[in-house]
Each structure stands twice: as C-alpha cells, then as structure tokens.
Amino acid sequence: MWSGGETARRMQRRGRGAGGRDGPGERTIVTLEDVARAAGVHYSTVSRALDPDTARQVNVVTRKRVAAFAKRMGYQKDMVASGLKRGRTHTVAVVVGDLGNPNIAPVLRGIANRLEPAGLMSLICESQDDPTRLERILNHLLSRRVDAVIMTGARLGDGPKLRRIRRQGIPVVLAVQNVPGIRLPAYTNDDDLGGELAAQHLLSLGHRRVAQLRGPADIYSCLQRAQGFSRTIAAAGAMEVEVRSTAPTGSPEEGHRMMRQLLDSKRALPTGIFAHHDLMAFGAITAAEERGLVCPRDVSMIGYHDLPHVERVIPPLTSIHQSREELGRLAAEALVKMLSSADGPPPSRKLPPTLVVRQSTGPPRDFR
Amino acid sequence: MTLADVARAAGVHYSTVSRALDTDTARQVNVETRQRVQALAKRMGYQKDMVASGLKQGRTHTVAVIAGDLGNPNLPPVLRGIAGGLEQGGLMTLISETRFDSARLERILNHLMSRRVDAIIMTAARPRDAPTLRRIRRQGIPLVLAIQTVPGIRLPACTNDDYLGGVLAARHLLSLGHRRFAQLRGPMEFSSCFLRAQGFSQTVAAARAEEVVVRSTALWASPELGGALMRELLDKKGVRPTGIFAHHDLTAFGALTAAEERGLTCPRDLSIVGYHNLPHNDRIVPPLTSIGQPREELGRTAAEILIAVLTKPGPTPAPRLVRPFLVVRKSTGPPPKAY
C-alpha cells in the first residue's frame, strides 16, 4: 500500500493538484441554481426540496430526484448565507487556552458528544493564553456568526470581553474556568475543595510546615485551590511558607524554578508541598533531587489533575483527580438548553474532585 | 452592533461608515469624519461583518485544521505551529476533531464547506478518506496534508520522515547488539506508522536480524493499548525478542508496565524505543529512549505551504519532509548475556 520513496516520488509529480487549479476566485462551488438546472426545475423548488421544514411541499418524485442530484453534484447549502437570513449557523465555538494541557482533550470530547446529537458542530480555537489573540479570536467569531461560545480557559481579566459577546446576543457558557461576578453559567470543578483535600492529606500524615507552588494569579481555579489549601492549613494551626511568585504555565520548568526558590531560602524547608499542576510537581521533585533530597523521605509532593501517566513517574505522584469529560458534557447540555428555550440560563454546577494517594507523599522526616 | 448603529451615532450615512472603515476606500472620506467614525466604531465594539463581506469578496480568512485525536500529546505543538504560521498570513485557524471516524469526517467537511472556509489542513488523512478528500479538492477548496499523507492523491503535503525514524530506532538497537526484534505498531493505514514500520523492518532485515510480528496494532496512542500489544508479544511461543520499537511513547509506557508485570526489567531483559520524545519521558522509569521530531516546525511548514497555495496559483508544491532525531535515555541497553 505504502512505500517511502515511492510516495514521495508520486507526490513530487506535478499534477493537477489543488494548488495547480485553485487560485483565489476560481472556486467551483455548486449552487442551488446549478442543481436546479441539472434537475430541470425552478431553483425555489430545489430550495424547498432540500429544506427538511419545507420538503413536504414538493412531490415525492421531484424531491427525491432533486436530493439525488444535489448529493451527486456535491451541493452544500451556504450555511453562512442562510445564517444571515435565519440567524443560525449550527456552529458552536469552543475557545481553549492551551491545547497542550492534557486536561483539555476529554473536556472537548464531552462537549462534542453532547452537541452532535443536537445538530451542532463544535469548532475549536486556541488563544495560547494570550489576551490579544483571544480578542482577535472573539472578534473573528462574532463576525463569522457562531450560534454560541463555550469558553474553557477564561482568565479574570476576560470579563469585559465575554460580556461584550453576551451583549451581542450570543450565548456564552464557561467551562473549567469561572470568572467571579460574571453571571454566566459555569461548569467547573470545585477547586476550593481540591485545595482542602490536598491540605487535609498532608496534615493527616503529620506535616506542620507546608508550601504551595501556585498557578497563575489570574486563573480562578488556581486562586480557589490556593484558598482552600491555605484556609485548611491555617485552621489546623499549621504553618504555610509563602512562595511569592506564581507559575504562568503549568510546566516542569516552572515547578523547578519555584522549588529552587524554596530550597534557596534561608528559612527551614517545608516538608509538604502542594503543586497546582502535576507537571510542576515533576519539576519540583527534580529540583529537590538535585539538592540530594528524596521524595517522599525528605519532602512530600502532591500534584493536581491526576494526568494519565503520573503513575509511571518516580515516585508515582499523589494527585487530585477531577472530572473532565462530564464537565464538557454539562457545559454543552446547558448551551443546548439556552439555544432551544427562552428560559433563563440553567444553574451553574461545581463537581467535587477526589484525592488519589500514591507514593510521593508520606510522613515528614522528624515525625518518624 | 451594525453599520447602521454606528452611522446613527456618528450622524452620517451608513455608506460613509462602510467606506471609512474599509482600508481600500477610507481615503474617499474626509479625515475628520473618518477618524470620528473609526473612534465610534471602536468604542461601540462594531465588528465588520466578515460573513457578509466574505460573501462579496469570496474569502473568509478562515482555515480549518482537521485533527484525528486531540488527546494525542504529539499534536498540540503541530497545531500551534500551524496557527502561528497562518496568523502571519492574516488567517484564523479553526480546529475540528474526527476521532478517526469517517462519518464524522464527512459531517465536519460538509459543515466547513458550508461555512466557506478558505482552505483545509488535514492532519489525519487515511487511504479510505481519499475519495472524500478528492471531492473537496474538486470543489476547489485548497487542501494541504500534514503529518499523514495518502499515496497517489497528489495534494501538497508536509510530514515527518517516518521511514527514517524507523531506521534510526533499528540502527540504535542493532548497535547495542540486539538480534531479535519486535514492533508495537500503530494503525498501518496511517502513512506515519506504515513508514515507521517499514523503515524498522527493512533495516533489521538488511542486518540479517530477526523480527517477530505482533499482528495487532494500537488504534489510539494509549498506555492501555500498549500493554495489550506487549502481552500479545510475551504470550507468543519461542524466544523472546529483546529489542522493541513502540510507535508511540504512550504505547511504550504501557508496554513497560506489562513487561514488569511478567517480572521483566527494562533495560536488563529488554530494551524499548518510543516515538515522539514527549516532554516527561525523562521522569518516567526508566527514562525512555525515543525518536523526536520538530513538531512546531512541521506545523509552520504546513502553514507556509498553504499560504503559498492560496497566494501563488501554480503547480502543486513538492512534499516536504521534516527530519526526526534519536534521543538516547535509559530504556535501551545491550541485550542480556544469554542472547
């Protein structure tokens, strides 16, 4: 079927490929009129025959013939043009901050699985966590007429942008990330509870001196995680050492950098550390190992997200697990409701995360 | 927010607004009015209706990128390279996921055509998709293949040199002294996996070494499927292979776990080479030897080809190959002495 050299050679043969024929403006789009001409009927008959709402007005024989011609000729209804007339394009834009975040694919799947049976197509845009790019994307989406927007990576500063879309009459649903005070339906994990679970786990092992490696300060889920963690630690009368900086991205490099800050500080090293992302926890463990420290003997590490292969790393990482596909499904479900009924937006939901204990956490050294 | 709203606020005719906001015609409006209209349009959040203007000018400045599996960690950097490259050309990227389902691909393509996208970059093409892709091309929508190609389709394409990737994996294992090999393959209908397999097998055969065939292939890149393939291999009768080439790092992860469950230690009892050089390969145990490829570069190259196709009509550009490289870590070593 395949052969390396041959494929390349075949590809090199200059044929009438797409590039050869398709200069701008040479597009050969099959129109309603083309189908009408071929079928020998008036174009309004074609229009009626192909629209499920009006197909019954055309007699069966003609209807079938028109449908067969349309299919054979590759006719596609111009959804954008008909969207201009009817105000629907059956398209939902899903805006993602970072497609490289291993959490996001299951959310997108949950969204698509629910939108598809409702006859809606999801198209994905990546802002790469850049506010200017997000602005461009949202402007583009507005002018390209989508029926609705699901925003999965909202940051605290995105409120005005999202409200502007909402004001233009386009339903917006938030997934994964909420923005406080925005009053849009939001489907998120209970990140405050996630922080609390991490703190309780470390406390139960006997840790009295802990620290957090925090995610971005403008991401609500990270603020919530930090808040739940700090509150629980303070309530137990334990000590939290503050790492001033936050990580702009959940990467091993950032975890490494922040752990180094803790290791370089003159203060005693905390024995229990809560990283806001599994990948940051990996980097932090590496930084500790570089100083001759062993996890969990010298320092316990707990991550967040329970990424698919954290059980294969050394030591297998204790982490907080949250639902992903279900979150996407709920967001899409809310959107479908908003598009089909005039009732107010459905209520927001928070799903509870769970703690997954592996081998990166243990009792503190002086506790043994 | 329409043109008419801005016109009302500015107290001018809507055609004046239209002219003032279009760079081609802005000069026809006097400077003062033009600036006032532009400021108002910005303040009011007016968006030029690209749908309507796209209908007139025949361009929507939108390119659709079709992905097979967004959960494959190899893909996002490629998508980023594509979006970055297209941005340079003033084009917006929209992404769709097929999950390798032909019916869904068909639905997606129909939807994209009805949205009149300017072009499509297909990253998950299989031979069975060829008729669908040909139909799109016949309708005059420029189409560029990335990552996966299809024989005989004569579309511009940018892929990794997967054949060379297979050769590199085989040479590395041969140089360590391995003589008995096996592959944990991806689907053979993907050009990338087919060529990886071919490069590996031909290099092993040329060295007169032996390859044990695991018949099943992993449709998804996942540790679970990697584990299943490894168990299939270990259940075979005869002498166990010592040099294993997994077509994806995630497959290799699962294979490592399955081998450990049978009491085998990597790299003492067997060596494993993965593919894609994923970011945390150095933190897993043992750190995984893998074949890396410049992913963003591949995406950027695909975007360049597409922009060339859109702007300079001419013969189909020649296919481009991006070179992979070997990253040696600790999952590969000499075979056990008994061999």
Side-chain angles (χ1 to χ4, degrees):
Chain A
M1 173 169 53
W2 292 101
S3 105
E6 198 195 335
T7 305
R9 273 196 305 282
R10 270 193 218 151
M11 303 291 301
Q12 262 154 0
R13 248 181 257 149
R14 312 233 151 170
R16 289 186 352 133
R21 296 189 303 149
D22 313 321
E26 290 177 45
R27 193 175 285 193
T28 50
I29 290 170
V30 178
T31 65
L32 212 60
E33 284 83 357
D34 296 330
V35 178
R37 212 171 301 123
V41 297
H42 193 260
Y43 75 82
S44 66
T45 309
V46 177
S47 171
R48 272 196 294 275
L50 296 179
D51 183 339
D53 293 342
T54 52
R56 286 193 190 169
Q57 300 167 20
V58 182
N59 82 60
V60 184
V61 181
T62 312
R63 194 201 306 165
K64 282 192 177 150
R65 194 155 53 95
V66 168
F69 268 104
K71 191 166 178 211
R72 183 138 41 94
M73 298 170 70
Y75 169 74
Q76 285 298 324
K77 186 162 103 174
D78 186 335
M79 206 175 276
V80 166
S82 84
L84 285 178
K85 261 190 278 170
R86 304 176 188 201
R88 287 295 277 274
T89 60
H90 306 282
T91 313
V92 172
V94 183
V95 183
V96 174
D98 173 13
L99 276 174
N101 183 338
N103 274 309
I104 203 69
V107 176
L108 297 176
R109 220 154 256 201
I111 290 173
N113 281 345
R114 181 62 192 90
L115 291 181
E116 269 176 26
L120 295 165
M121 175 71 63
S122 53
L123 292 178
I124 300 157
C125 304
E126 187 189 22
S127 71
Q128 300 180 23
D129 286 329
D130 172 350
T132 339
R133 188 171 287 111
L134 175 64
E135 182 93 41
R136 268 207 303 281
I137 288 173
L138 292 177
N139 287 342
H140 185 89
L141 292 177
L142 280 177
S143 61
R144 285 302 303 160
R145 302 277 170 115
V146 293
D147 287 355
V149 174
I150 298 182
M151 177 79 191
T152 70
R155 298 190 162 224
L156 297 191
D158 294 336
K161 292 187 201 94
L162 296 172
R163 278 195 209 97
R164 185 159 68 83
I165 302 224
R166 187 72 202 92
R167 272 203 305 278
Q168 310 244 348
I170 297 187
V172 181
V173 168
L174 302 180
V176 189
Q177 298 295 346
N178 201 346
V179 176
I182 197 171
R183 292 197 304 190
L184 289 173
Y187 299 87
T188 62
N189 290 292
D190 189 343
D191 288 278
D192 183 283
L193 176 59
E196 195 178 312
L197 290 174
Q200 276 168 1
H201 175 60
L202 291 173
L203 287 167
S204 75
L205 288 167
H207 293 271
R208 302 297 296 166
R209 197 178 162 77
V210 298
Q212 295 188 72
L213 308 181
R214 290 174 295 162
D218 63 344
I219 287 201
Y220 193 56
S221 66
C222 291
L223 289 178
Q224 293 281 293
R225 263 168 235 172
Q227 184 183 305
F229 185 83
S230 297
R231 189 188 57 240
T232 310
I233 293 298
M239 160 86 175
E240 181 180 348
V241 177
E242 195 192 339
V243 181
R244 279 186 187 246
S245 68
T246 55
T249 55
S251 68
E253 291 75 26
E254 285 300 316
H256 189 274
R257 180 183 66 78
M258 291 168 72
M259 187 67 189
R260 282 286 287 273
Q261 283 181 12
L262 273 175
L263 291 162
D264 288 339
S265 145
K266 290 199 179 66
R267 295 173 296 185
L269 189 71
T271 61
I273 293 177
F274 170 39
H276 284 191
H277 199 296
D278 287 340
L279 297 181
M280 287 167 66
F282 294 167
I285 295 174
T286 306
E289 285 169 355
E290 284 165 7
R291 298 292 174 95
L293 299 174
V294 175
C295 170
R297 191 194 66 192
D298 304 306
V299 62
S300 282
M301 190 71 61
I302 174 163
Y304 212 98
H305 292 317
D306 193 27
L307 297 184
H309 39 277
V310 292
E311 56 197 11
R312 265 224 75 83
V313 307
I314 273 245
L317 195 68
T318 296
S319 191
I320 305 288
H321 182 89
Q322 35 186 12
S323 60
R324 295 185 274 245
E325 199 158 332
E326 173 69 2
L327 217 56
R329 196 190 64 76
L330 285 173
E333 175 84 40
L335 200 67
V336 170
K337 271 198 194 121
M338 286 164 81
L339 287 171
S340 60
S341 86
D343 305 342
S348 297
R349 293 250 326 255
K350 271 190 203 174
L351 300 179
T354 52
L355 171 74
V356 184
V357 178
R358 295 198 185 85
Q359 288 155 42
S360 65
T361 46
R365 203 169 193 186
D366 50 12
F367 199 73
R368 278 176 246 222
Chain B
M1 196 58 56
T2 66
L3 213 61
D5 296 326
V6 178
R8 212 171 300 120
V12 296
H13 193 263
Y14 75 82
S15 66
T16 309
V17 176
S18 168
R19 272 197 294 275
L21 297 180
D22 183 337
T23 41
D24 292 343
T25 53
R27 287 192 189 170
Q28 300 168 17
V29 182
N30 82 59
V31 183
E32 212 180 302
T33 313
R34 192 201 311 166
Q35 283 173 353
R36 192 159 51 93
V37 169
Q38 285 168 351
L40 267 175
K42 195 172 175 200
R43 183 138 41 92
M44 296 170 68
Y46 168 74
Q47 284 303 318
K48 183 172 153 185
D49 193 331
M50 279 175 56
V51 170
S53 68
L55 289 178
K56 259 189 280 167
Q57 300 170 9
R59 290 291 284 273
T60 58
H61 303 280
T62 315
V63 171
V65 179
I66 299 180
D69 169 18
L70 286 172
N72 182 344
N74 182 42
L75 198 53
V78 177
L79 297 176
R80 225 160 240 220
I82 291 176
L86 291 178
E87 240 170 53
Q88 307 284 318
L91 296 165
M92 175 71 61
T93 305
L94 297 174
I95 301 161
S96 283
E97 188 187 28
T98 64
R99 281 178 258 168
F100 305 123
D101 174 338
S102 296
R104 187 174 288 113
L105 171 65
E106 190 81 35
R107 274 204 302 280
I108 288 172
L109 288 172
N110 288 342
H111 187 92
L112 293 173
M113 305 226 305
S114 69
R115 284 187 73 78
R116 306 288 187 254
V117 293
D118 284 349
I120 294 173
I121 296 182
M122 173 74 178
T123 70
R126 297 174 294 180
R128 68 167 96 165
D129 302 324
T132 309
L133 298 177
R134 287 207 184 87
R135 176 168 68 79
I136 301 287
R137 192 182 57 186
R138 270 202 306 280
Q139 310 224 345
I141 306 214
L143 189 55
V144 170
L145 303 183
I147 306 179
Q148 308 293 352
T149 186
V150 172
I153 198 163
R154 290 191 304 204
L155 285 171
C158 176
T159 59
N160 290 295
D161 190 342
D162 290 286
Y163 184 88
L164 176 60
V167 171
L168 291 175
R171 277 192 200 147
H172 173 60
L173 291 168
L174 283 164
S175 75
L176 289 165
H178 294 269
R179 299 297 299 165
R180 219 176 141 73
F181 299 91
Q183 297 189 65
L184 310 178
R185 296 174 301 165
M188 286 298 97
E189 56 176 346
F190 285 116
S191 61
S192 65
C193 296
F194 183 86
L195 293 170
R196 259 167 238 172
Q198 200 181 42
F200 188 84
S201 296
Q202 289 182 354
T203 309
V204 166
R208 299 179 183 284
E210 198 178 340
E211 181 179 348
V212 175
V213 177
V214 179
R215 280 184 185 269
S216 308
T217 57
L219 176 56
W220 298 99
S222 85
E224 290 72 27
L225 294 177
L229 292 184
M230 190 66 179
R231 280 189 289 275
E232 183 177 327
L233 173 63
L234 294 174
D235 286 340
K236 277 178 177 292
K237 294 197 177 72
V239 188
R240 198 178 61 238
T242 61
I244 303 199
F245 174 39
H247 284 191
H248 200 293
D249 288 341
L250 295 180
T251 312
F253 293 169
L256 281 168
T257 309
E260 281 164 13
E261 283 163 9
R262 303 284 177 99
L264 298 171
T265 304
C266 171
R268 195 194 61 195
D269 302 313
L270 47 81
S271 289
I272 299 191
V273 180
Y275 214 100
H276 290 318
N277 194 32
L278 295 183
H280 16 281
N281 276 2
D282 52 347
R283 265 230 75 83
I284 75 148
V285 184
L288 191 68
T289 296
S290 190
I291 306 290
Q293 35 196 5
R295 291 180 279 243
E296 279 207 45
E297 185 189 321
L298 175 77
R300 271 198 311 276
T301 309
E304 267 167 35
I305 295 176
L306 184 67
I307 289 172
V309 166
L310 282 171
T311 50
K312 293 191 279 287
T316 306
R320 301 266 293 268
L321 284 176
V322 177
R323 279 179 79 86
F325 49 89
L326 171 74
V327 183
V328 178
R329 294 200 186 83
K330 305 228 169 80
S331 65
T332 46
K337 288 250 160 60
Y339 291 78

